[in-house]
Amino acid sequence: MPFYPSGLEAFFQAVATGLLVGATYGLMCVALGLIFGIMRLINFAQGDFLMLGMYFALAIMSGLGLASLLGSLPALVLAAVAAVPIFFAVGWLMHRLLLGRIGRDRPDMTEGEMHQTQLIMTLGISLVLSNGGLMAFGSTPVSLNTPMASQALVLDAFGGDMMVFLNEARILAAVAALAACGGLYALLHRTDLGKKLRAAADNPLAAIYMGVDVARCHRVTFGLGFGLTALAGAMVASYYPFQPYVGLDFVIVMYAGVVLGGLGSIMGSFWGGLVIGLVQQLSTLVLPMQLQSTTVFVVFLLILLIRPQGLFGRSVERA
């Protein structure tokens, strides 16, 4: 008979699952926080970028047959790695051809008017992508059906009396998210490009006077945000069924994580996403699954009432 209190095993299971899910949320939030933190752009199409990453992984694994040729794990890793540069290029072009053109013919446009126009344009991009996805892929939910989605590592404690199961697909997604966030942190803090991106975020006008091409920095930022979101989509697709409107399931989590971590703090967004993942899973211990999102927003509002600057807004400086 186990000697630990009843419910302790369920608690540790919820914490472990929450950390894995939260790490992936963290990557999504970092990608959104990167765009907002440097460009001051509220991107309504972020959920649709995630959806494109999911279908990209499906195309690589099933469409090209790499899952049968190489195996599910190598094919998924290949899809995730390939998603970053490909969608970076798509995002770079999208900013150059659409968002970057706003205000070119109107030098008298204020910063506020420019942001409003960009916000409306991202809403339009979102509608085009989601409805285009519906026309191209149909409304039937699909999945990658990887064996990892149904396999788990088992952690034993108390001489085998307590077991915690870690889903292998979620472990892989969390590891990829941590690696991507670590790479982004190194890029921002260890490279000249990162210094330029941070300069463009802190004071665009001063950055221009110092010779920084702020427009190019914004294109790079939008591309990075797109690529990282597509990477998260490819990893989530390994265990989560999806359809063209799947972005709506995650976009609210992304915004909540960014605000919770502290607006303008790119790496704080990761901690915001991690907290949301933990709250989501721990809420299932006392509430029905249907109330997961409600619990997240109740906690979200409570934290913002206490700390309007976000949970990590003071301790985490802008990256």
Side-chain angles (χ1 to χ4, degrees):
M1 180 177 178
F3 59 86
Y4 51 84
S6 175
L8 191 59
E9 187 176 48
F11 172 78
F12 282 120
Q13 180 65 60
V15 170
T17 305
L19 289 174
L20 295 179
V21 172
T24 310
Y25 285 170
L27 176 59
M28 299 178 197
C29 295
V30 163
L32 179 62
L34 181 70
I35 292 175
F36 180 83
I38 294 179
M39 299 174 61
R40 295 292 185 267
L41 172 65
I42 298 174
N43 182 20
F44 280 115
Q46 202 72 16
D48 301 288
F49 294 173
L50 190 82
M51 175 270 292
L52 290 178
M54 291 175 163
Y55 278 102
F56 177 78
L58 180 66
I60 293 290
M61 296 183 67
S62 300
L64 298 181
L66 292 187
S68 303
L69 188 63
L70 304 176
S72 295
L73 179 58
L76 178 61
V77 172
L78 180 63
V81 171
V84 178
I86 289 175
F87 285 101
F88 171 85
V90 173
W92 193 91
L93 284 174
M94 188 178 287
H95 186 277
R96 184 177 182 83
L97 300 177
L98 298 175
L99 295 167
R101 291 181 175 274
I102 295 175
R104 279 189 178 181
D105 301 328
R106 285 190 54 193
D108 59 332
M109 181 180 278
T110 66
E111 186 177 358
E113 290 174 333
M114 188 172 293
H115 286 318
Q116 288 177 7
T117 308
Q118 288 177 333
L119 186 149
I120 293 171
M121 182 168 281
T122 63
L123 180 61
I125 292 171
S126 172
L127 292 173
V128 169
L129 292 179
S130 57
N131 287 288
L134 186 63
M135 293 173 64
F137 309 123
S139 59
T140 304
V142 294
S143 65
L144 296 185
N145 289 322
T146 61
M148 295 177 292
S150 55
Q151 295 174 354
L153 295 180
V154 181
L155 300 181
D156 293 331
F158 298 111
D161 286 339
M162 178 187 291
M163 291 189 291
V164 174
F165 297 88
L166 303 178
N167 182 271
E168 291 184 358
R170 285 178 172 170
I171 292 175
L172 184 62
V175 170
L178 291 172
C181 290
L184 178 64
Y185 184 86
L187 172 71
L188 292 175
H189 292 272
R190 298 286 187 268
T191 67
D192 289 338
L193 176 60
K195 292 178 183 176
K196 292 177 181 177
L197 294 180
R198 286 186 288 144
D202 289 336
N203 192 327
L205 186 58
I208 291 173
Y209 288 148
M210 295 299 294
V212 175
D213 187 344
V214 173
R216 179 175 176 270
C217 289
H218 286 179
R219 286 195 292 274
V220 170
T221 299
F222 199 76
L224 280 173
F226 201 156
L228 292 176
T229 307
L231 167 62
M235 300 312 299
V236 171
S238 65
Y239 60 86
Y240 193 90
F242 52 95
Q243 35 74 30
Y245 292 104
V246 70
L248 294 174
D249 296 347
F250 294 95
V251 72
I252 297 177
V253 169
M254 294 183 206
Y255 277 103
V258 169
V259 176
L260 196 62
L263 283 174
S265 172
I266 298 170
M267 288 306 167
S269 301
F270 176 82
W271 299 111
L274 193 68
V275 169
I276 288 177
L278 278 171
V279 171
Q280 255 190 1
Q281 297 302 317
L282 288 172
S283 69
T284 60
L285 296 176
V286 293
L287 294 171
M289 293 282 290
Q290 295 83 349
L291 293 179
Q292 271 189 346
S293 297
T294 304
T295 309
V296 167
F297 286 104
V298 168
V299 174
F300 171 75
L301 291 174
L302 288 175
I303 291 176
L304 288 190
L305 280 174
I306 300 170
R307 291 178 62 85
Q309 74 274 30
L311 196 58
F312 301 96
R314 180 174 298 175
S315 59
V316 180
E317 300 295 333
R318 180 182 296 162

